[in-house]
Structure formats: C-alpha cells, structure tokens
Amino acid sequence: MPQNDTIDFGFTPVPRAEKAGMVRQVFDSVAPRYDVMNDLMSLGLHRLWKRIFVNAIGAGPRDTLLDLAAGTGDIGFLAKERGAGRVILADINHAMLNVGQGRALGRGLAAGLDFVCCDAEKLPFPDRSVERVSMAFGLRNCTDKDAVLREARRVLRPGGRLLVLEFSRLQVAALDPVYDAWSFKALPAIGARVAKDSESYRYLAESIRMMPDQEQLAGMFRAAGLENVSHRNLSGGIVAIHSGWRL
Ligand SMILES: C[S@@+](CC[C@H](N)C(=O)[O-])C[C@H]1O[C@@H](n2cnc3c(N)ncnc32)[C@H](O)[C@@H]1O
C-alpha cells in the first residue's frame, strides 16, 4: 500500500479512510466512563488545564464560541458559566454528545448551548461566523489535522481566535521514563479495570506520543493562515495551549 494511503492510529499505520471509524469506535466505547476516566488518568489535572484554557479563550457575552471535539461538554460548560454568549458544542460522535446533553441538563445549562454532530475537518458553518474556536484534546484524533486548522480559520471572523489544548512534549527529558510507565502501563490497566476496555486507552496513550510537538503544531497553525501564533506549556509540557488569530 502506498505510504500516502496510511495514517497512524496510535502506533499502528492504518488505511487513511479507516481512521475516523476506528476513532469513533474508541469514543463509543469510552463515552459512558469518559469523565471518571479523565479524573483518574490525569489525577484530576485535566480540570485545572481546562480552567486555564477557558480563561485563555476569553469568550464574552457578545461572542459565539465554537468548541470542536466538544465530547461531553467540559469546555463549553465552563465557557458558558464564565459568561460566553452562544456556545456551539460540535463533535463527530453521538455517544459523547448524548452524555454531554445529559450533563448540561443536570447543570441547568441547556439554554444557550447548541449541540451539533459534525466532522471538524468539514464544518457545516458559514465563513467568518464565530469569534472564537476552541478544541481540547481532539486534534490528535483527527485524520487530517491541517484541514481542521484551515476550517477553524475559515469560520472565524476577522479578529477571531483559535485555541487548541492538546497533549504535547515534556520539557524535562529526565521525566520521560515515569511518563512512559504511566502512559503505557498504568493507563491501559486503569482502562481495563474501570472502563473494561484497555485497548481504547492504549490507543489514547499512543496517540499522545504521535501528536506533533509544540513547534510543529505552531508551524501547522501558520501554514493554515493563522497569525500571531503562540503557545504556552502547562505542567512542564504534558499539555500545551496553542493560539492563533485570523486577522
Ligand atoms: C478526548 S475527547 C475530548 C473531549 C473534550 N473536548 C474534553 O476535553 O473533555 C476527543 C473528542 O474528539 C472527538 N473527535 C474525534 N475526531 C473528530 C472529528 N474529526 N471531528 C469532531 N470531533 C472529533 C471524539 O468524538 C471525542 O469526543
């Protein structure tokens, strides 16, 4: 098979056309236990990272925020609670969005939130229609990451901003062995016990390692036409927030 027709699904090359379906199966499987697993896998740190991320998004009451790969809603809910105007939660996976809709009702947040099932690589929104686009822990699961960044820029109004929160590269190499042990031994074991699915968590750990590093992702932002690109490491580079503007 020619190299161009394969893409990484974690550490395994798979036919490009099959990755989206395989990712969908992962999130179908993990959806019911996704939130509790996030707390266990990150030792609660994801809550801090997401609060910092939503502060960086800075969506005000007049802004529309499009949150891509919204999953079970954490980013959209926090943004809404902090005064964002319209919030659109977009995800390719019905099971994740269904969990999110239930959570929104439980938090009294249903008004002002729109749930849209769509592919971030091909957005069903008009050009120049939103002030902010965000994506947390979604980009590494997409088949064509460059297409996602181009689509995000297309739907942003001039003066609008894209922010991406993703796993990145640790800045202290001495910590790599500990991080590897946690990712490749502990995570699948916790996944097997709590979510009854070690394979999905093995994929998630592998996909973290396959994610472009801080500089590479910044270069992809620029190649998509975003400007004033910057990034900020959190927790020593375990994750990073990338930002770029449509001017
Ligand atoms: C790790 S979850 C992140 C959920 C949420 N943003 C959070 O931070 O908790 C990744 C999400 O990306 C979604 N996803 C994967 N590929 C996608 C695509 N091409 N377009 C939109 N969403 C996608 C999955 O369905 C899943 O809900």
Side-chain angles (χ1 to χ4, degrees):
M1 185 177 295
Q3 191 63 27
N4 281 347
D5 287 337
T6 65
I7 188 162
D8 296 316
F9 176 75
F11 291 164
T12 310
V14 298
R16 175 170 284 270
E18 288 177 19
K19 175 167 172 170
M22 296 170 79
V23 169
R24 189 171 291 125
Q25 277 178 8
V26 165
F27 287 101
D28 278 342
S29 166
V30 305
R33 308 293 284 161
Y34 177 77
D35 294 303
V36 69
M37 280 296 294
N38 267 352
D39 279 333
L40 291 172
M41 289 187 315
S42 73
L43 306 175
L45 270 176
H46 77 108
R47 293 171 182 260
L48 173 68
W49 297 332
K50 286 172 176 170
R51 280 201 298 274
I52 294 171
F53 183 58
V54 171
N55 280 343
I57 294 170
R62 290 163 173 266
D63 296 329
T64 295
L65 166 66
L66 170 60
D67 184 42
L68 301 175
T72 60
D74 277 354
I75 302 303
F77 299 164
L78 277 176
K80 195 73 198 163
E81 284 163 356
R82 289 178 190 192
R86 183 174 173 220
V87 176
I88 305 168
L89 295 100
D91 198 286
I92 204 168
N93 188 291
H94 283 288
M96 294 291 278
L97 286 178
N98 285 344
V99 174
Q101 280 173 312
R103 292 177 76 211
L105 286 172
R107 291 165 80 140
L109 273 178
L113 294 179
D114 293 326
F115 291 84
V116 178
C117 191
C118 65
D119 186 346
E121 296 173 28
K122 220 179 195 182
L123 292 174
F125 305 107
D127 296 357
R128 303 168 180 232
S129 55
V130 304
E131 283 75 22
R132 294 283 184 276
V133 177
S134 57
M135 191 176 211
F137 304 117
L139 191 58
R140 70 181 192 283
N141 297 298
C142 294
T143 304
D144 187 346
K145 298 177 182 61
D146 296 311
V148 173
L149 300 178
R150 283 194 303 271
E151 279 291 87
R153 182 187 178 278
R154 179 183 67 74
V155 301
L156 277 172
R157 288 190 208 284
R161 188 180 186 190
L162 166 68
L163 293 108
V164 170
L165 171 63
E166 249 310 347
F167 288 97
S168 205
R169 280 300 168 283
L170 265 182
Q171 300 299 290
V172 183
L175 293 178
D176 281 346
V178 181
Y179 191 42
D180 281 350
W182 180 251
S183 304
F184 297 118
K185 294 208 165 69
L187 293 195
I190 299 171
R193 180 165 280 243
V194 178
K196 312 287 177 232
D197 177 358
S198 63
E199 279 313 303
S200 292
Y201 286 93
R202 189 179 315 285
Y203 157 72
L204 290 172
E206 291 178 1
S207 68
I208 288 169
R209 293 301 192 281
M210 299 306 286
M211 183 64 200
D213 69 17
Q214 287 87 335
E215 296 308 326
Q216 288 168 329
L217 183 55
M220 291 164 64
F221 266 53
R222 290 187 197 99
L226 293 152
E227 298 188 53
N228 294 341
V229 175
S230 61
H231 74 267
R232 171 183 176 190
N233 290 320
L234 303 180
S235 301
I238 294 178
V239 300
I241 296 173
H242 280 72
S243 159
W245 296 81
R246 176 172 188 166
L247 298 182

